[in-house]
Amino acid sequence: MNFINSVSMNVRTLVVAGILAASLAGTVANAQSKLNVVTSTEDLGSIAREVGGDKVNVTALARGFQDPHFVEPKPSFILAVNRAALYIAVGRELEIGWLPPLLTSSRNAKIQPGAPGYLDASQNVRILEIPTGQITRAMGDVHPLGNPHYWLEPGNGRLIAQAIRNKLSELAPADKAYFAQRYDDFDRRLAAAEKRWDATMAPYKGTKVVTYHRSWPNFMARFGLEVVGYVEPKPGIPPSPSHTIDLVEEMKRSSIKLIVVEPYFSLKTPQAIANQVPGAKVLVLAPSVGGVKEVTDYIQLFEYDVNLLAGALKQITGK
Amino acid sequence: MRVRRSCVAIFAAALLGPVGPASAQTDVQALQQEIEQLRKEFEAIQRQYGERLSALEAKLGVQGVPAPAAPDAVQQQPQQPTVEVPPGAAGAGGPTGSLPIYGTASAASKIFNPDIAVIGDFLGAAGRNTVNPSPALEMHESEASFQAIVDPYARADFFLAFGAEGAEVEEGFLTFPTVPGGLLVKVGKMRAAFGKVNTLHNHILPWTDRPIVTNNLVAGEEGISDAGISVARLVSNPWVFLEATGEVYRGESEGLFASSKRGDLSYVGHLRGYHDLTDNTNVDLGASYARGHNATGVVDEVDEGRFVTDLWGVDATVRWRPLQRAIYNSFLGRAEMLWSRREQPGGRQHAFGYYVSGDYKFARRWFAGARYDRSERAEDAALRDSGHSVLLTYWPSEFSQIRGQYRRIKYGEGPTANELLFQFLFSIGAHGAHPF
């Protein structure tokens, strides 16, 4: 019984300490009067920072160099989501394996799906590869609501920024003009950068490439490149020898010299494929902000990828 | 109707023809007004039908591909199907506006169906075990899950288990994620928050079986699983994630707790601490307590003995998962220690047991693991079983798994069992993500 009493005392002390800490945390938060925004990925986090400026505290859960399909719903994330006034999800079932238990465990009514503090960033953007016929798991890990890697298109970044501007204005109406001005500034910079990227990529329109996973349809479509094969035989299924042989033959037949890989996949198979195709190269592009050290924001993401891609294509095509 | 009446009026006016200059001018004006009126009505109807058609398309999940990057195109038309919160449902703190529809939206009739999945657990055994033999081949369990958001305030999870002994509700509970006071409340039949293994369904265990200590002290595969209420709260502090959980159950967990009176409830308490040591490594510690009446004093359905079982447990988990290469490499090390104090005819038994295990992912589809077990028996602590296992697991995909386990157990009675166990696990449908 003494043991139980002692445990009970300790628990009580902990609870009191917790309440004090919570009160203190609340005071600090009020003093700063910033909206806590939590995003699934660093891309959404970067756009939220662009629009929210110093009126928001942004926390991104998945790192840019990790596979966003396989994030662990760690308890430390529960703490971050618990304090959020706004949660911004990628949607299209990208986070289906980890976000639902996080939201349920967060004890935060404000950011539950359907609540004002929950924003699905995919609601009004251009989504590609929406299945039209019947789909089964025999096709691999297909996304029934379309390809969720839609942020890799600057136009979609602009639409995401608009949605965030509207949502932040709804949650903090007093700062509506501030968010509008921040959005306009982002829009201007993005538009100027797009002209630059278009000019850089113009000579390579129509070039055929291979990618590891189906992460790049928006990016490649935006810059006029054609994806004609994947290192994965089916989405989420690791490379198989027979598929690899077929892919090598296809690359030789169609003179495809570039394999684009995300940083979280092993380079072993892509490199082996490239070694069998004369003149072929493997290029690791950043699929997200933070995918490589140099990519610190959304505009930088395209700056990095476009320059790297154009450099590689220049070597390959001689243009 | 009104349009039809107006048409008839115009037609009649045309048939009557000119009557006189003054009346003709009046008629022309009337006609013009009528035509103008008709035009307005037609436009209104056209607009109305357009809106209704758009709403219907949105409801059915018709998803067009909008033109790329039209400026300020937000709010044009929702692509993911949504439903409005029912009138009167939006209370204080509750969600408002549109709720997402989960699952595929290919047909309107399926919109409100829960996510449904079935997981098959096929087991095989070879070798010798004279104390606790399992069949050579068995469809050990087929678990059907039904999961959905109930309303703006709760979600429901049902797990029905079909096995050789029949069908049962393994779990079926409501979760209220938006209760004031930062509480997470669950109501229904559920696996109790006692330690780690007790909370896990068979298909997410890193072994084909459960540790010996679970079988000896915590009622085996069923574990502490009962109808009850669970309340969990985050304990705010600047250092670690800390969660305290209190649970009250009916008091019936077969093989562990038995309730012969309404007041013979069982209780479970759990404290969990978690900390990220680095981005790649974290540590998860827990302490648990459970108490309830046991069946040893029950005679003719009357609890004459009023005997009680107390359980204490501590658990520790270390995870390593390099973020950039998480799909290829990871490690999970786990240990649980349990103490049982069981009152029974002939005196009190104090039993202790533990297991230590490790599971290493060494390639995208491959895991290797090991486990060491040692546990006394709850009803006779003088009998002590010990064992060890090594495992190899292969994942053809995220949705199926093949596992082999070599297990050697030295039973307290003396015999030693050497067995090769194997398992096929396969999942169809949409099975919700498990808590971490």
Side-chain angles (χ1 to χ4, degrees):
Chain A
M1 283 307 286
N2 283 342
F3 169 73
I4 291 168
N5 285 342
S6 154
V7 169
S8 161
M9 281 282 287
N10 287 339
V11 169
R12 216 175 300 156
T13 313
L14 270 175
V15 170
V16 171
I19 291 166
L20 281 174
S23 314
L24 195 64
T27 313
V28 172
N30 286 339
Q32 292 169 339
S33 71
K34 288 184 177 184
L35 276 180
N36 277 328
V37 178
V38 178
T39 63
S40 287
T41 62
E42 293 199 50
D43 311 286
L44 298 179
S46 170
I47 298 173
R49 275 187 205 99
E50 293 280 7
V51 178
D54 56 10
K55 305 285 183 189
V56 295
N57 278 322
V58 179
T59 307
L61 300 185
R63 295 300 180 92
F65 50 78
Q66 79 179 114
D67 187 338
H69 300 85
F70 301 106
V71 176
E72 288 188 308
K74 300 192 287 189
S76 44
F77 290 167
I78 294 175
L79 292 179
V81 180
N82 174 258
R83 299 178 195 123
L86 172 62
Y87 189 91
I88 308 173
V90 174
R92 304 283 155 176
E93 297 197 346
L94 179 81
E95 308 106 320
I96 193 143
W98 54 275
L99 185 57
L102 261 186
L103 296 179
T104 302
S105 306
S106 71
R107 293 122 167 119
N108 186 346
K110 289 181 282 187
I111 52 81
Q112 296 299 317
Y118 179 84
L119 176 64
D120 179 341
S122 75
Q123 286 288 297
N124 296 286
V125 298
R126 184 163 88 122
I127 299 294
L128 301 178
E129 299 179 351
I130 297 174
T132 48
Q134 189 182 354
I135 54 168
T136 76
R137 292 284 181 213
M139 299 166 176
D141 193 7
V142 286
H143 291 279
L145 297 175
N147 193 303
H149 302 273
Y150 59 82
W151 66 86
L152 281 162
E153 177 177 336
N156 278 347
R158 182 176 287 110
L159 295 174
I160 296 167
Q162 286 170 18
I164 293 174
R165 175 199 63 192
N166 295 349
K167 182 55 80 176
L168 288 175
S169 304
E170 189 186 314
L171 296 174
D175 294 319
K176 190 176 176 181
Y178 175 80
F179 298 135
Q181 176 262 313
R182 295 275 313 181
Y183 166 77
D184 291 342
D185 179 54
F186 172 67
D187 181 34
R188 257 194 308 276
R189 283 184 290 122
L190 188 63
E194 274 188 282
K195 280 183 191 157
R196 205 165 57 237
W197 301 331
D198 283 339
T200 308
M201 291 300 294
Y204 312 112
K205 277 204 170 159
T207 307
K208 293 175 177 171
V209 298
V210 160
T211 68
Y212 196 109
H213 180 70
R214 289 176 183 264
S215 306
W216 309 92
N218 288 83
F219 182 90
M220 297 300 176
R222 173 64 181 78
F223 294 109
L225 302 187
E226 193 185 342
V227 182
V228 293
Y230 304 93
V231 176
E232 287 180 335
K234 287 169 182 174
I237 303 291
S240 65
S242 60
H243 174 73
T244 302
I245 292 167
D246 291 347
L247 189 61
V248 168
E249 289 309 311
E250 174 62 27
M251 287 180 71
K252 282 180 183 169
R253 205 168 33 245
S254 306
S255 297
I256 301 163
K257 308 282 188 197
L258 191 66
I259 304 173
V260 172
V261 182
E262 298 82 345
Y264 38 81
F265 288 121
S266 163
L267 293 177
K268 198 174 146 193
T269 306
Q271 203 61 65
I273 295 169
N275 290 344
Q276 293 175 61
V277 179
K281 278 180 73 100
V282 173
L283 194 65
V284 179
L285 292 185
S288 280
V289 173
V292 293
K293 248 188 278 174
E294 299 91 316
V295 176
T296 52
D297 63 41
Y298 188 72
I299 291 177
Q300 269 296 318
L301 173 65
F302 291 95
E303 197 76 42
Y304 177 85
D305 284 342
V306 163
N307 288 336
L308 204 62
L309 193 56
L313 289 171
K314 190 175 182 183
Q315 277 183 21
I316 289 166
T317 61
K319 290 178 189 171
Chain B
M1 281 298 286
R2 198 163 170 198
V3 174
R4 206 181 302 161
R5 270 206 306 273
S6 304
C7 289
V8 171
I10 295 166
F11 190 60
L15 277 180
L16 286 173
V19 179
S23 66
Q25 197 175 353
T26 318
D27 285 347
V28 169
Q29 277 176 352
L31 265 176
Q32 277 175 344
Q33 279 172 4
E34 199 73 51
I35 288 167
E36 183 60 24
Q37 179 68 22
L38 264 176
R39 195 178 61 80
K40 282 180 184 166
E41 284 177 0
F42 180 71
E43 281 174 0
I45 288 167
Q46 198 178 24
R47 200 167 48 244
Q48 234 175 43
Y49 275 101
E51 283 167 4
R52 287 171 67 180
L53 192 65
S54 303
L56 195 64
E57 281 176 353
K59 214 171 183 176
L60 291 175
V62 175
Q63 302 185 351
V65 177
D72 238 335
V74 177
Q75 311 301 338
Q76 277 180 341
Q77 77 169 53
Q79 289 189 351
Q80 181 152 326
T82 57
V83 289
E84 288 303 308
V85 172
T96 55
S98 297
L99 295 171
I101 293 164
Y102 290 89
T104 53
S106 54
S109 62
K110 294 179 182 171
I111 280 177
F112 293 111
N113 280 354
D115 288 342
I116 299 171
V118 181
I119 296 174
D121 179 4
F122 180 86
L123 288 179
R128 183 179 167 81
N129 187 331
T130 55
V131 178
N132 188 19
S134 51
L137 299 168
E138 65 169 327
M139 190 63 206
H140 182 65
E141 186 182 85
S142 305
E143 181 194 286
S145 63
F146 303 85
Q147 300 171 283
I149 290 178
V150 177
D151 58 24
Y153 314 108
R155 60 166 292 130
D157 297 85
F158 281 92
F159 302 96
L160 311 181
F162 303 86
E165 293 166 6
E168 62 155 357
V169 178
E170 187 179 4
E171 290 193 284
F173 58 85
L174 264 181
T175 305
F176 299 95
T178 61
V179 174
L183 302 174
L184 186 68
V185 178
K186 292 202 276 183
V187 178
K189 189 188 179 204
M190 57 207 149
R191 302 187 74 94
F194 185 90
K196 284 287 182 198
V197 166
N198 191 74
T199 61
L200 303 179
H201 289 195
N202 285 341
H203 64 268
I204 48 170
L205 293 172
W207 323 290
T208 66
D209 60 348
R210 288 187 181 252
I212 295 174
V213 65
T214 306
N215 293 323
N216 285 5
L217 305 185
V218 202
E221 191 171 317
E222 295 301 314
I224 309 175
S225 174
D226 200 356
I229 299 171
S230 168
V231 180
R233 193 180 198 287
L234 296 178
V235 182
S236 302
N237 69 86
W239 307 287
V240 294
F241 170 92
L242 203 59
E243 183 183 49
T245 306
E247 299 180 333
V248 182
Y249 291 100
R250 183 181 59 155
E252 281 287 348
S253 285
E254 197 183 334
L256 183 67
F257 299 135
S259 171
S260 56
K261 288 199 300 188
R262 186 179 282 174
D264 288 352
L265 303 172
S266 60
Y267 304 90
V268 174
H270 182 69
L271 189 66
R272 181 189 188 191
Y274 170 94
H275 186 59
D276 286 319
L277 298 175
T278 66
D279 273 352
N280 301 337
T281 312
N282 55 66
V283 60
D284 197 343
L285 302 171
S288 311
Y289 172 70
R291 180 183 174 88
H293 289 264
N294 66 48
T296 56
V298 178
V299 180
D300 294 334
E301 295 185 6
V302 178
D303 192 356
E304 304 279 3
R306 310 295 295 153
F307 296 129
V308 164
T309 295
D310 292 286
L311 285 171
W312 290 268
V314 291
D315 60 85
T317 305
V318 176
R319 296 180 189 84
W320 171 77
R321 197 170 178 261
L323 293 185
Q324 193 164 342
R325 283 287 179 269
I327 60 171
Y328 299 102
N329 297 116
S330 63
F331 173 76
L332 186 143
R334 176 167 286 160
E336 284 193 65
M337 285 190 280
L338 279 89
W339 292 265
S340 163
R341 185 176 66 186
R342 188 177 195 247
E343 295 172 350
Q344 59 187 40
R348 207 178 265 169
Q349 287 289 319
H350 292 266
F352 168 69
Y354 67 92
Y355 75 87
V356 182
S357 77
D359 198 36
Y360 177 58
K361 186 175 192 176
F362 61 89
R364 189 164 177 186
R365 293 167 147 178
W366 290 93
F367 295 78
R371 190 184 76 209
Y372 178 75
D373 289 287
R374 192 176 176 89
S375 175
E376 294 159 353
R377 300 211 191 145
E379 67 281 5
D380 183 359
L383 289 176
R384 182 189 298 147
D385 306 322
S386 62
H388 51 260
S389 296
V390 288
L391 300 104
L392 189 64
T393 304
Y394 175 69
W395 279 9
S397 74
E398 282 175 73
F399 311 102
S400 63
Q401 168 183 298
I402 302 164
R403 173 173 288 152
Q405 176 175 359
Y406 166 72
R407 184 178 73 183
R408 181 183 171 87
I409 300 178
K410 184 167 177 13
Y411 287 105
E413 293 91 342
T416 298
N418 282 296
E419 292 168 287
L420 187 60
L421 311 168
F422 60 93
Q423 179 184 47
F424 287 82
L425 270 175
F426 44 97
S427 161
I428 55 172
H431 190 77
H434 293 275
F436 188 69

